[in-house]
Each structure stands twice: as structure tokens, then as C-alpha cells.
Amino acid sequence: MEQHEERSWYRARLKDELEERSKARSRLEHLSETADVMYAMSRAEFDNHPIQTRKIHFRHISSLLYMSGKYSSRWYFYRVAAAFQTRSFAKVDVREVVNPAKDLKIQQVAERNRLDPEQFLAICKRLRHVWPLLP
């Protein structure tokens, strides 16, 4: 995953995620968006740009568990899709967790990982029919 030089990039991502969380209507949407907020904070910290404004409490355990399943599933989804395209797991070095339900995101993943965007999108569309993706 690409690191960014400016702390402002991480703050902007967190702001976007907090805004999406405030618009969540259902309990599942709220859980998903909370997981995204926690991911944005942990990614910033991991990339040496800590922006965490609140401590993560035990009451967030459900969001942490959800986040783990959500992003692990997405990460493996892209690895499998890339393996189908390259016809080998040995050649796969894709480490992405963006939402594979969005075609534009899939094309961006392909471009960042030097894969053919049209072919990768077609593979991902077929894979989405059988892959258990969390919102």
C-alpha cells in the first residue's frame, strides 16, 4: 500500500470516513463505517502519521472484528483475482483493501499493480458473484 508524505492526506481520509459514518442509517452500515474510521486511524499510525483523536475502547471490539473480516476478505479477493489474471499465485503482489464492489476502484487497483484494467475488472466482476464481501 502506498504511503503518503503529508499528514493532511490521512486527516482528509479520516474526515471522509467520519462523514460517511455520520450518514450511516442501518446498524450494519454504522458498524462498517466505524470499521473504516478505525482503519483510517490505524493506517495513519502505521505510516507514521498518527492522527488518532480518540482511544479505541473495548466497546469497539465488534467494529474491530468486523474490520478484520472485511479487510481480510478484500485483501484476499484482490490476490485471487490477480492470480487468475497472471495464472500464478507466485507472481501476485497485490495488497489492496479498497471496496471491490466499485468498478472504478478495481481499475485503479489494476493500474497501481500493473495489471490490465479491463481484464482485471472482468475477472473481479465474475468473482464478485461468488465472493463473500462485507459492505
Side-chain angles (χ1 to χ4, degrees), residues 80-88 110 115-117 119-121 123:
V80 168
F84 276 127
Q85 184 168 350
T86 61
R87 295 182 175 27
S88 168
L115 299 167
D116 178 81
Q119 184 183 14
F120 192 65
L121 178 59
I123 290 167

Side-chain angles (χ1 to χ4, degrees), residues 17-106:
E17 296 300 345
L18 287 168
E19 188 175 312
E20 288 180 23
R21 183 175 180 254
S22 71
K23 294 177 184 175
R25 294 177 187 242
S26 73
R27 199 168 163 90
L28 182 60
E29 285 177 348
H30 192 267
L31 179 66
S32 179
E33 295 305 333
T34 300
D36 289 348
V37 167
M38 294 170 81
Y39 175 77
M41 292 186 322
S42 62
R43 179 173 177 196
E45 178 126 3
F46 182 78
D47 290 349
N48 293 317
H49 295 288
I51 56 171
Q52 187 168 344
T53 56
R54 297 181 182 137
K55 296 284 183 203
I56 296 174
H57 296 285
F58 183 74
R59 71 175 190 265
H60 294 119
I61 193 75
S62 59
S63 296
L64 289 169
L65 292 171
Y66 184 88
M67 179 178 71
S68 177
K70 175 180 179 175
Y71 289 112
S72 295
S73 177
R74 289 179 179 185
W75 176 84
Y76 200 62
F77 173 90
Y78 285 118
R79 300 211 21 111
V80 168
F84 276 127
Q85 184 168 350
T86 61
R87 295 182 175 27
S88 168
F89 263 109
K91 297 178 186 175
V92 174
D93 193 31
V94 178
R95 297 182 178 136
E96 301 275 351
V97 295
V98 297
N99 191 348
K102 300 177 181 177
D103 292 353
L104 178 61
K105 298 286 187 182
I106 290 173

